[in-house]
């Protein structure tokens, strides 16, 4: 088939029909063995041959297949471009009544909801598709599930839950694995937004099984990604790392290398927290080539954020600022200039660099525009909720810091999110220390250190030990200075092990003051 496709693609104009036929057969064969790049070449040859034929509907179908292949390998930008080109071909030909026209609306709606975080545009595509998709079609379930994801992005979680459950019920009636997988994915997004880790885990397992049965690579890798995120939230890093490594291995085996981006987003967050910074920085070499093909998606923001955190901890401030700026640019492209994410990412950059006044300025700007809402409804807002109390304390807003920390603790207690609990204790320690409430401060720091030790957060543990040492050196009861030196030496060893130059400098300054 490949030889015939090649032969006819080089033949004179009169062979265009056969060139298309054999190119599509060759592409189908390539897809069946996960030779995606080869399939893309065959689709391109078919499109070139179609230039000699007056068949816009078939041209649109080939463009759609091209988009499907790009999306399977998570090259999102190229997939969207192919789908939009297919729609344009049908519109120019006046063939908007074709089934392919509404099928393309459905696919664009789903990818916009899943990857572009554009609920308004996604809804427009999905509602258009639903006008023509039959009631008993699996594609209808997939569109309804995508609408549920739009509702999650719009923070209408109750309606999103109801919509996702309805889609799952319909999928089960149809007994179609792909529909079950899509509905389960929507439920996963709802549970993640609600902070329901147990429901998220069980539903993700169902998502994987359904995707494997349906041979749905896109759905399969999404399920792996959700499991990495779930374990990051829960602090079960070994399990999360295994999901990431298994996903990366499968993406290599199936030649779906675009999925490295979305799997590495959660994985680099885990590696950053564990102090495995050289491994995080090693991923940077794979980042830009992936970004150039995948396009702007939220997963790259997380990788840039991890890189910024590592560089700041190492004392490379300029590089950290560049990575934060790169994250902002992506959120700008995805959500526009005035969105919550940009305020969050600027805040995180200032937090990492310990620029407390600039970080608090982002808090006040965000509150003015979006209101004050502690939340764990997604990864970004979770980090915001557990980090703002510390900045409030650093700014001397003691009572507000304590109130925010207690709210964060309460939000993280029911689903048991240990990082959130640790950060809440740490912020309370700062708030009490600022008011010279030494006993309360030390109790909170001890609780934070225990949780950071449980998680294996070497940098956070060293940071908390430093603050405990400062409290003891300020309290100056019998034995406090010796205990302070012991804690500071422990912190110094942790920072030196990480080569965290700002931390080392801070501890050495504290030790000199004690001496």
């Amino acid at each position: 088939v490949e030889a015939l496709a090649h032969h006819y693609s080089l033949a004179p104009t009169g062979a265009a029909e056969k060139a298309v036929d054999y190119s599509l057969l060759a592409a189908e064969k390539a897809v069946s063995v996960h030779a995606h790049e080869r399939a893309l070449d065959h689709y391109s040859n078919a499109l070139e041959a179609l230039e000699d034929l007056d068949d816009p509907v078939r041209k649109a179908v080939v463009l759609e297949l091209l988009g499907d292949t790009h999306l399977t390998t998570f090259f999102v930008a190229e997939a969207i471009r192919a789908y939009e080109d297919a729609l344009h071909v049908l519109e120019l030909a006046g063939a908007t009544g074709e089934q392919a026209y509404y099928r393309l609306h459905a696919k664009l709606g789903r990818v916009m909801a899943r990857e572009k975080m554009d609920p308004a545009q996604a809804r427009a595509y999905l509602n258009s598709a639903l006008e023509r998709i039959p009631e008993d079609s699996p594609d209808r379930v997939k569109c309804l599930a995508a609408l549920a994801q739009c509702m999650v992005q719009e923070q209408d979680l109750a309606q999103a839950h109801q919509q996702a459950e309805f889609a799952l019920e319909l999928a089960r009636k149809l007994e179609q694995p792909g529909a079950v997988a899509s509905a389960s994915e929507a439920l996963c997004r709802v549970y993640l937004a609600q902070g329901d880790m147990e429901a998220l885990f069980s539903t993700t397992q169902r998502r994987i099984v359904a995707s494997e049965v349906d041979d749905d690579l896109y759905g399969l890798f999404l399920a792996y990604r959700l499991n990495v995120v779930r374990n990051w939230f829960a602090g079960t890093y070994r399990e999360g790392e295994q999901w990431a490594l298994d996903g990366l291995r499968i993406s290599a085996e199936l030649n779906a290398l675009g999925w490295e981006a979305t799997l590495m987003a959660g994985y680099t967050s885990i590696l950053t927290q564990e102090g495995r910074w050289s491994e995080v920085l090693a991923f940077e070499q794979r980042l830009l080539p992936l970004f150039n093909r995948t396009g702007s998606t939220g997963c790259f923001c997380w990788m840039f954020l991890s890189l910024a955190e590592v560089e700041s901890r190492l004392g490379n401030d300029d590089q950290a600022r560049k990575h934060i700026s790169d994250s902002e640019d992506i959120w700008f492209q995805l959500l526009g200039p005035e969105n919550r994410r940009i305020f969050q990412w600027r805040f995180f950059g200032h937090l990492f660099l310990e620029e407390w006044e600039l970080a608090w300025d982002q808090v006040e700007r965000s509150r003015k525009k979006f209101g004050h809402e502690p939340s764990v409804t997604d990864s970004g807002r979770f980090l915001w909720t557990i980090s703002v109390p510390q900045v409030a304390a650093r700014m001397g807003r003691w009572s507000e810091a304590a109130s925010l920390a207690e709210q964060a603790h309460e939000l993280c207690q029911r689903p048991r999110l240990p990082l959130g609990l640790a950060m809440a204790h740490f912020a309370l320690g700062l708030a009490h220390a600022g008011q010279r409430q030494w006993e309360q401060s030390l109790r909170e720091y001890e609780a934070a250190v225990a949780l950071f030790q449980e998680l294996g957060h070497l940098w956070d543990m060293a940071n908390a030990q430093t603050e405990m040492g400062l409290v003891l050196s300020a309290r100056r009861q019998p034995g406090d200075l010796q205990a302070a030196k012991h804690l500071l030496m422990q912190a110094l060893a942790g920072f030196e092990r990480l080569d965290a130059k700002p931390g080392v400098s801070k501890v050495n300054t504290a030790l000199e003051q004690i001496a």
Side-chain angles (χ1 to χ4, degrees):
V1 169
E2 294 92 335
L4 288 167
H6 177 71
H7 170 74
Y8 283 113
S9 68
L10 298 177
T13 304
E17 190 71 47
K18 287 186 176 180
V20 174
D21 290 342
Y22 283 109
S23 291
L24 292 181
L25 285 171
E28 183 180 358
K29 180 179 176 181
V31 167
S32 71
V33 294
H34 307 297
H36 305 296
E37 292 295 332
R38 200 181 310 158
L40 293 173
D41 289 339
H42 290 307
Y43 287 134
S44 296
N45 289 337
L47 288 170
E48 187 175 344
L50 278 164
E51 294 298 320
D52 295 327
L53 302 173
D54 184 18
D55 194 346
V57 173
R58 198 174 193 194
K59 182 178 181 181
V61 168
V62 176
L63 283 166
E64 181 183 357
L65 290 168
L66 188 74
D68 291 345
T69 305
H70 282 310
L71 195 58
T72 294
T73 52
F74 202 70
F75 293 127
V76 178
E78 294 178 8
I80 290 174
R81 188 158 50 246
Y83 291 150
E84 289 177 337
D85 287 347
L87 277 179
H88 185 61
V89 167
L90 292 174
E91 287 166 352
L92 285 178
T96 55
E98 292 286 334
Q99 190 62 39
Y101 188 71
Y102 293 92
R103 191 169 61 243
L104 285 160
H105 276 78
K107 290 181 178 182
L108 276 165
R110 294 204 299 272
V111 75
M112 291 291 179
R114 282 166 152 173
E115 303 301 341
K116 289 300 178 184
M117 301 180 191
D118 189 342
Q121 190 173 10
R123 278 182 178 277
Y125 280 125
L126 293 167
N127 288 330
S128 174
L130 286 167
E131 290 176 4
R132 292 287 298 271
I133 296 176
E135 295 287 337
D136 60 348
S137 168
D139 284 337
R140 188 171 192 84
V141 175
K142 294 176 182 179
C143 287
L144 293 172
L147 282 173
Q149 294 188 42
C150 292
M151 295 168 188
V152 170
Q153 292 167 23
E154 295 161 345
Q155 294 300 302
D156 189 353
L157 298 185
Q159 186 65 28
H161 200 162
Q162 183 179 351
Q163 174 85 356
E165 290 282 10
F166 173 71
L168 184 58
E169 181 182 352
L170 180 57
R172 285 170 173 162
K173 287 179 182 177
L174 295 176
E175 297 182 344
Q176 209 281 335
V180 171
S182 292
S184 299
E185 178 194 332
L187 267 178
C188 286
R189 303 285 182 138
V190 173
Y191 291 138
L192 183 59
Q194 292 173 333
D196 191 340
M197 297 296 116
E198 291 309 310
L200 172 64
F201 180 69
S202 61
T203 308
T204 320
Q205 298 299 102
R206 182 168 61 218
R207 177 76 169 95
I208 288 176
V209 171
S211 297
E212 288 174 339
V213 171
D214 195 49
D215 196 25
D216 173 18
L217 286 189
Y218 188 94
L220 180 67
F221 284 115
L222 277 181
Y224 273 85
R225 176 172 76 180
L226 283 167
N227 264 317
V228 175
V229 172
R230 177 258 177 193
N231 283 286
W232 173 79
F233 262 99
T236 48
Y237 296 147
R238 293 284 69 73
E239 191 174 346
E241 180 175 12
Q242 194 58 56
W243 280 107
L245 292 174
D246 286 346
L248 289 169
R249 174 180 53 79
I250 294 170
S251 71
E253 290 174 356
L254 301 183
N255 294 314
L257 297 181
W259 282 101
E260 286 188 348
T262 188
L263 292 164
M264 284 193 296
Y267 188 27
T268 52
S269 293
I270 289 173
L271 295 174
T272 299
Q273 299 293 355
E274 291 190 316
R276 296 161 63 181
W277 296 345
S278 61
E279 295 176 61
V280 177
L281 296 177
F283 279 124
E284 187 175 2
Q285 303 303 316
R286 296 158 70 174
L287 186 58
L288 286 180
L290 283 172
F291 179 74
N292 290 336
R293 286 201 65 180
T294 300
S296 294
T297 66
C299 60
F300 288 102
C301 295
W302 282 100
M303 278 190 280
F304 282 124
L305 185 68
S306 293
L307 288 166
E309 185 170 0
V310 169
E311 295 287 12
S312 67
R313 303 299 187 229
L314 292 171
N316 303 324
D317 292 359
D318 289 343
Q319 193 61 36
R321 288 190 175 90
K322 180 184 183 305
H323 291 315
I324 287 293
S325 177
D326 290 337
S327 281
E328 288 180 29
D329 289 344
I330 295 172
W331 286 125
F332 181 92
Q333 292 177 49
L334 288 172
L335 301 173
E338 294 295 312
N339 68 79
R340 190 189 300 267
R341 295 286 193 179
I342 286 181
F343 287 107
Q344 288 176 348
W345 253 243
R346 288 174 184 161
F347 166 84
F348 294 139
H350 296 310
L351 171 71
F352 299 155
L353 296 166
E354 299 188 357
E355 298 170 341
W356 308 120
E357 290 186 10
L358 294 173
W360 188 253
D361 181 59
Q362 295 304 312
V363 174
E364 291 186 328
R365 287 170 180 254
S366 179
R367 284 178 176 177
K368 185 176 180 180
K369 185 169 182 63
F370 302 107
H372 172 57
E373 184 188 0
S375 172
V376 293
T377 57
D378 63 33
S379 306
R381 295 179 76 180
F382 166 69
L383 279 182
W384 172 273
T385 296
I386 66 175
S387 301
V388 166
Q390 177 191 171
V391 178
R394 301 288 190 185
M395 290 294 293
R397 307 171 75 98
W398 315 122
S399 59
E400 184 174 4
S403 175
L404 288 169
E406 286 164 0
Q407 289 178 52
H409 191 278
E410 184 178 351
L411 283 169
C412 296
Q413 197 165 27
R414 184 185 63 80
R416 180 115 197 335
L417 307 178
L419 175 57
L421 296 174
M423 292 295 287
H425 284 299
F426 181 72
L428 281 168
L430 289 172
H432 289 308
Q435 299 170 87
R436 303 181 68 81
Q437 298 167 344
W438 307 127
E439 297 300 325
Q440 298 98 312
S441 176
L442 289 170
R443 282 199 298 271
E444 296 297 340
Y445 284 142
E446 285 171 359
V449 168
L451 284 165
F452 287 137
Q453 189 169 22
E454 173 191 326
L455 289 165
H457 286 203
L458 186 58
W459 188 92
D460 286 314
M461 191 162 63
N463 201 38
Q465 288 168 333
T466 302
E467 296 298 335
M468 286 182 72
L470 293 174
V471 166
L472 288 168
S473 65
R475 189 177 67 170
R476 302 234 170 193
Q477 290 184 5
D480 278 356
L481 287 182
Q482 190 61 35
K485 287 180 182 177
H486 178 70
L487 281 165
L488 289 169
M489 290 303 295
Q490 286 184 312
L492 183 63
F495 285 135
E496 286 179 338
R497 179 178 164 189
L498 294 168
D499 195 27
K501 296 179 181 65
V504 170
S505 177
K506 182 177 180 180
V507 174
N508 280 329
T509 299
L511 286 169
E512 289 171 6
Q513 289 174 346
I514 290 176

